[in-house]
Amino acid sequence: MNSNQTDSGPTVSSKQKLSMLHDVESLDDRFTTALSSPELPDIEPSVITTDCLEILVDFGQIDMDHTSSSAAADTSFVLGGDAGVVTCVRDISSGDPYVDISEDTVLIPEEHAQKVLDIDDPFTCLIPKYSSTDSETGIEPGLCTHLLETDRQVPSYNIRQPHRMHGTLPSYSPRIGQLTVAKCPSIFYLHWNWAAIRLGCFVMLVFTMVSMFCVVIRLVASNEAGSDLRRGWWQGTVSYEIFPASFQDSDSDGFGDLRGLIQRLDYIQSLNVASVRLNSIFSALDYPLEYTHIIDFLRVDPHLGRMSDFDLLVKDLHARNLRLILDINPSLTSDQHTWAAHWLQNSSGQYRYYYVGNETLENVSDFEDDEKENPSRPFGSKLFLNWSHSAVHKEMENVLEFWLQKGVDGFYMKGLEQLRQDNHTGLYVVMKRWRHLLDIYSKDANKKIMVVSDIFLNKLKNERSPNLGLILDLCDLIDVQLHISLNQISSIKTQILQAADWNSISIKPWTHWHLGSAETSRLATRIDSSYTLGAMIFLLMLPGSISLFYGDEINLQNSIDVTTGKTYNEGQLCPMQWEPTFEANFTGNGSLSWLPVRPDFLINNVAQRNVNVSLISQVISIKQNSSSLGMKAEFKDESVTRGKEFSTFLFHHIDNNLVVLERHFPGNKKYVVFAEFGETRRTLDFSRYFSSVKILFSTKEVSETPNVGQLSLSPGAVLIGEVGR
């Protein structure tokens, strides 16, 4: 269209005025596009003036039928006569000379005209300011989306040349064309800002996809890290057993003590163990040599320090996220115990039922008489407590509660096979009361545990105890010794299968494997020292939990009399050898240790065996963080095995010298351990079992990716590898 100037001076053309609301040409283009469908009726020519900002619409009968008076009022349309004239924009207060006002013309006051211009309802305004489709590509603002819907009944308006306009004006230029204006129904969602909504949806979609990707990655990573199943702090972890009097002397009196133990916590933590287990620390008749002759369960033996030292030890252990387990034998006491003294002096008094008759137990050792040589003479005897007496129950429960209040995380109930109880039901009642007490002090993941020996359980099994299953349900760990004898390694398979059989009676307790303890001869004394490191590495690969006896990691052997070469009684409790200095840095100031330090302390000490210690620490870490290596032998879980029992180990090969054991768990990596305990080097083909193996740890020099078809193993070699998929 053309722009003109009136006599009154320069003015903005009607097209320019209309462009303040919509671009006229764009509007006509959209109208033309909308009318391109052959299904729409013919429309009379349209006229848009340039001098008057008006759109004159001849409302046909169809509009009169579909438009109520209320609708007309809502849209600010004013109808007049048979052919109503709609003035969308007109300010007649200016006295424009070009306006031809007749009786057929309905005038719209200024405020109503402004309402028509500024109306924000796109459903009722003839020329809306905005549309729900403003952001659509290729569709300009202002066009109602329903103009494109050909399947709707669209009422049309016949636009004709106005009969009361100054058509002779030079600025008059009629625009002829097909035109349909559809009435948009009042649909609420046309008000929405669809551009922002689409952007928000896109952002949410991207966020959801990224989150799902992260979840998948986390699940895969957690499976490999062994966190797919929650395990208790005692399950599939490693405990470090210590005889406190032989670990570290802090006051140079020749006896290890609790403060010395605190000084060595950095070393213990470097092993990556989860807990520390202390052999009996209670006040004894002749501690430490006769540490089992307990005279007071509520006191720390003076050789070890004060109770305040014990409190500090517990605090420091927990600060390092380490747990503490105490050994306690509830079946007997020394005859010098307070209870025993009263019982012996007054057989009819308060303590008359505390012990069983005059039955005593002499000190028993695993060594033959001709192999014993005591550095001091033992004296006194032990008396069996009468566990059929309720007062004894209460006394021992008070003892357990005392140490639980001190922060102890569990007890190894020693010597239960010697517990004097009338019947199996009575034994179950006693242990159930212990379990109840432990549970009282258990909080969330801080469970208090109970450890028992397989010797005790085998005794119940042999006696066909009807309460065996119930008693197993009360226990958390079953302590089992793994017997390794050179050239007789095939027995290992039987030992593992027998330990796994407990799972058929109760699934609650886990196996707690060890190679030696305070009651057995040292590992390096029983087998050649060239095999001890391999034996410990192999032990860590067994299903379940593990216990390591202090000093085994440095080939510590039984203490001997250097003049005779004989082993001392309790020689397995020899002092820990830290450095190649005087007394192996166990004690100081020229003091001698309570048991002689081994002559080989210059070689077998922590400083010199640092490589071995580091290897053991690494293997402990991978065991405790992998479900394949940390799980028990037989596992049953609805979410993982669908209620079926699942075995986590597989023997690929075993003979008198070689063991090839695979460890696995659903959704986790597979591991294999090759352990050669023979005396000659062998090369074997394992390609029928594995396509490839990546060696992670080895006690001997070996290629990282050996040829499994020709795998060569030297005596004492133990390899841990990840099985290729």
mmCIF file with all atom_site columns, all heavy atoms in Angstrom, residues 217 393 512 528 557:
data_model
loop_
_atom_site.group_PDB
_atom_site.id
_atom_site.type_symbol
_atom_site.label_atom_id
_atom_site.label_alt_id
_atom_site.label_comp_id
_atom_site.label_asym_id
_atom_site.label_entity_id
_atom_site.label_seq_id
_atom_site.pdbx_PDB_ins_code
_atom_site.Cartn_x
_atom_site.Cartn_y
_atom_site.Cartn_z
_atom_site.occupancy
_atom_site.B_iso_or_equiv
_atom_site.pdbx_formal_charge
_atom_site.auth_seq_id
_atom_site.auth_comp_id
_atom_site.auth_asym_id
_atom_site.auth_atom_id
_atom_site.pdbx_PDB_model_num
ATOM 1  N N   . ILE A 1 217 ? 26.043 -45.885 34.967 1.00 0.00 ? 217 ILE A N   1
ATOM 2  C CA  . ILE A 1 217 ? 27.479 -45.915 35.236 1.00 0.00 ? 217 ILE A CA  1
ATOM 3  C C   . ILE A 1 217 ? 27.737 -46.242 36.695 1.00 0.00 ? 217 ILE A C   1
ATOM 4  O O   . ILE A 1 217 ? 28.626 -47.031 37.038 1.00 0.00 ? 217 ILE A O   1
ATOM 5  C CB  . ILE A 1 217 ? 28.128 -44.570 34.865 1.00 0.00 ? 217 ILE A CB  1
ATOM 6  C CG1 . ILE A 1 217 ? 28.026 -44.335 33.343 1.00 0.00 ? 217 ILE A CG1 1
ATOM 7  C CG2 . ILE A 1 217 ? 29.578 -44.535 35.319 1.00 0.00 ? 217 ILE A CG2 1
ATOM 8  C CD1 . ILE A 1 217 ? 28.733 -45.380 32.518 1.00 0.00 ? 217 ILE A CD1 1
ATOM 9  N N   . HIS A 1 393 ? 24.906 -66.852 85.214 1.00 0.00 ? 393 HIS A N   1
ATOM 10 C CA  . HIS A 1 393 ? 24.409 -66.151 84.020 1.00 0.00 ? 393 HIS A CA  1
ATOM 11 C C   . HIS A 1 393 ? 24.481 -64.648 84.237 1.00 0.00 ? 393 HIS A C   1
ATOM 12 O O   . HIS A 1 393 ? 24.983 -63.894 83.382 1.00 0.00 ? 393 HIS A O   1
ATOM 13 C CB  . HIS A 1 393 ? 22.957 -66.542 83.727 1.00 0.00 ? 393 HIS A CB  1
ATOM 14 C CG  . HIS A 1 393 ? 22.758 -67.986 83.433 1.00 0.00 ? 393 HIS A CG  1
ATOM 15 N ND1 . HIS A 1 393 ? 21.527 -68.503 83.090 1.00 0.00 ? 393 HIS A ND1 1
ATOM 16 C CD2 . HIS A 1 393 ? 23.618 -69.038 83.408 1.00 0.00 ? 393 HIS A CD2 1
ATOM 17 C CE1 . HIS A 1 393 ? 21.643 -69.802 82.889 1.00 0.00 ? 393 HIS A CE1 1
ATOM 18 N NE2 . HIS A 1 393 ? 22.900 -70.144 83.078 1.00 0.00 ? 393 HIS A NE2 1
ATOM 19 N N   . HIS A 1 512 ? 35.073 -67.615 59.328 1.00 0.00 ? 512 HIS A N   1
ATOM 20 C CA  . HIS A 1 512 ? 36.158 -66.713 59.732 1.00 0.00 ? 512 HIS A CA  1
ATOM 21 C C   . HIS A 1 512 ? 37.449 -67.530 59.705 1.00 0.00 ? 512 HIS A C   1
ATOM 22 O O   . HIS A 1 512 ? 37.794 -68.218 60.666 1.00 0.00 ? 512 HIS A O   1
ATOM 23 C CB  . HIS A 1 512 ? 35.850 -66.181 61.142 1.00 0.00 ? 512 HIS A CB  1
ATOM 24 C CG  . HIS A 1 512 ? 36.765 -65.106 61.617 1.00 0.00 ? 512 HIS A CG  1
ATOM 25 N ND1 . HIS A 1 512 ? 37.531 -65.241 62.758 1.00 0.00 ? 512 HIS A ND1 1
ATOM 26 C CD2 . HIS A 1 512 ? 37.034 -63.872 61.128 1.00 0.00 ? 512 HIS A CD2 1
ATOM 27 C CE1 . HIS A 1 512 ? 38.218 -64.131 62.948 1.00 0.00 ? 512 HIS A CE1 1
ATOM 28 N NE2 . HIS A 1 512 ? 37.944 -63.283 61.974 1.00 0.00 ? 512 HIS A NE2 1
ATOM 29 N N   . ASP A 1 528 ? 57.684 -74.217 55.763 1.00 0.00 ? 528 ASP A N   1
ATOM 30 C CA  . ASP A 1 528 ? 58.887 -73.472 55.398 1.00 0.00 ? 528 ASP A CA  1
ATOM 31 C C   . ASP A 1 528 ? 58.539 -72.006 55.159 1.00 0.00 ? 528 ASP A C   1
ATOM 32 O O   . ASP A 1 528 ? 57.501 -71.683 54.580 1.00 0.00 ? 528 ASP A O   1
ATOM 33 C CB  . ASP A 1 528 ? 59.499 -74.089 54.131 1.00 0.00 ? 528 ASP A CB  1
ATOM 34 C CG  . ASP A 1 528 ? 60.873 -73.516 53.841 1.00 0.00 ? 528 ASP A CG  1
ATOM 35 O OD1 . ASP A 1 528 ? 60.933 -72.427 53.245 1.00 0.00 ? 528 ASP A OD1 1
ATOM 36 O OD2 . ASP A 1 528 ? 61.874 -74.151 54.228 1.00 0.00 ? 528 ASP A OD2 1
ATOM 37 N N   . GLN A 1 557 ? 58.368 -66.471 63.820 1.00 0.00 ? 557 GLN A N   1
ATOM 38 C CA  . GLN A 1 557 ? 58.317 -67.863 64.256 1.00 0.00 ? 557 GLN A CA  1
ATOM 39 C C   . GLN A 1 557 ? 58.229 -67.948 65.784 1.00 0.00 ? 557 GLN A C   1
ATOM 40 O O   . GLN A 1 557 ? 58.346 -66.942 66.491 1.00 0.00 ? 557 GLN A O   1
ATOM 41 C CB  . GLN A 1 557 ? 59.554 -68.621 63.771 1.00 0.00 ? 557 GLN A CB  1
ATOM 42 C CG  . GLN A 1 557 ? 59.699 -68.646 62.251 1.00 0.00 ? 557 GLN A CG  1
ATOM 43 C CD  . GLN A 1 557 ? 60.889 -69.463 61.811 1.00 0.00 ? 557 GLN A CD  1
ATOM 44 O OE1 . GLN A 1 557 ? 61.168 -70.551 62.343 1.00 0.00 ? 557 GLN A OE1 1
ATOM 45 N NE2 . GLN A 1 557 ? 61.631 -68.962 60.825 1.00 0.00 ? 557 GLN A NE2 1
#
